[in-house]
């Protein structure tokens, strides 16, 4: 493998980390708190939280359904919604929009678009690093995107007075977190929960799905 391939692989690994919820939730909190502190933004903040919680539950349910009961699609190579793609599409567009909320409407719209592009890159990275299929990423982006579209469609682009500290903190978090934030064993947690709920001794795998066989004991 060439040095260029190694560097490119490392880049994709860093990009895919931008979809981890332990990195996204602090970003969301940094922009959500100033939004929620303003009377005009409290309803929008509540809608964002509720919609994200609903999307997260659907994502978790899809993973549990496959790991515990083998409910997936071999035709679409689908084993569950990509959580990275879902969280990225539900958080980045709105977070970037809030960071640009004191700018001109066109600038704020471009910031929302940049958030959408970053979510697409995170989704693509999940396919490139080999942990999700295209169908799983597309559904994740669709589900997370529906959160962003619903929140903006319900109350317009978010408006918040942030000052200078919040953008600096978000930028610092983006620069530091992909390389220094420890990865959480979320897949192992979901797998254990699926086994407890289903009573299975072993989880279903993508190989089981494509072969049409039950999991090995």
């Amino acid at each position: 493998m060439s040095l260029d391939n190694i560097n490119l692989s490392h880049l994709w690994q860093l990009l895919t980390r931008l979809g981890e919820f332990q990195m996204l939730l602090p970003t969301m909190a940094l922009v959500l708190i100033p939004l929620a502190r303003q009377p005009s933004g409290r309803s929008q903040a509540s809608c964002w939280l509720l919609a994200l919680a609903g999307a997260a539950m659907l994502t978790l349910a899809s993973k549990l359904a496959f790991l515990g009961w083998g409910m997936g699609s071999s035709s679409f190579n689908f084993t569950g919604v990509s959580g990275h793609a879902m969280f990225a599409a539900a958080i980045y567009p709105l977070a970037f929009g809030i960071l640009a909320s004191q700018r001109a409407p066109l600038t704020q719209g471009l910031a929302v678009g940049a958030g959408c592009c970053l979510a697409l890159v995170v989704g693509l990275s999940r396919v490139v690093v080999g942990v999700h299929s295209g169908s799983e990423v597309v559904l994740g982006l669709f589900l997370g995107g529906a959160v962003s579209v619903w929140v903006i469609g319900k109350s317009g682009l978010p408006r918040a007075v942030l000052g200078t500290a919040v953008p600096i903190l978000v930028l610092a978090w983006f620069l530091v977190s992909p390389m220094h934030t420890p990865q959480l064993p979320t897949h192992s947690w979901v797998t254990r929960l699926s086994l407890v709920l289903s009573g299975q001794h072993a989880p279903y795998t993508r190989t089981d799905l494509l072969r049409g066989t039950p999991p090995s004991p």
Side-chain angles (χ1 to χ4, degrees):
M1 182 179 294
S2 69
L3 182 60
D4 288 342
N5 288 336
I6 294 175
N7 290 336
L8 188 59
S9 175
H10 181 64
L11 175 62
W12 282 115
Q13 291 292 342
L14 289 176
L15 288 172
T16 205
R17 295 215 64 197
L18 295 176
E20 295 177 4
F21 77 88
Q22 71 267 31
M23 297 190 187
L24 279 163
L25 292 189
T27 301
M28 182 180 182
L30 284 171
V31 297
L32 186 68
I33 292 173
L35 180 66
R37 291 177 63 183
Q38 300 174 57
S40 60
R42 288 171 187 165
S43 175
Q44 193 169 46
S46 298
C47 288
W48 191 11
L49 285 172
L50 289 174
L52 181 62
M57 292 300 294
L58 288 174
T59 300
L60 175 61
S62 72
K63 294 179 181 293
L64 293 174
F66 173 73
L67 292 169
W69 291 271
M71 297 173 62
S73 171
S74 58
S75 300
F76 293 98
N77 193 13
F78 179 79
T79 65
V81 174
S82 168
H84 283 62
M86 186 281 293
F87 277 110
I91 292 177
Y92 282 132
L94 288 167
F96 282 20
I98 293 172
L99 289 171
S101 62
Q102 294 174 272
R103 305 293 180 179
L106 177 59
T107 302
Q108 189 180 24
L110 291 174
V112 172
C116 293
C117 290
L118 182 55
L120 289 173
V121 170
V122 170
L124 178 60
S125 74
R126 301 306 286 165
V127 177
V128 172
V129 301
V131 295
H132 276 296
S133 68
S135 64
E136 294 160 356
V137 167
V138 167
L139 280 177
L141 291 173
F142 177 82
L143 185 57
V147 171
S148 294
V149 169
W150 184 71
V151 173
I152 294 175
K154 185 176 177 62
S155 50
L157 289 172
R159 310 299 298 181
V161 179
L162 302 178
T164 58
V166 172
I168 292 174
L169 287 173
V170 171
L171 178 60
W173 180 247
F174 264 73
L175 293 175
V176 172
S177 60
M179 293 177 287
H180 299 288
T181 303
Q183 291 183 319
L184 297 179
T186 52
H187 183 72
S188 297
W189 295 342
V190 175
T191 299
R192 291 177 184 175
L193 179 59
S194 71
L195 296 181
V196 170
L197 295 175
S198 67
Q200 293 278 0
H201 296 291
Y204 281 85
T205 66
R206 193 179 300 276
T207 300
D208 298 327
L209 175 71
L210 297 178
R211 288 180 179 176
T213 59
S216 302

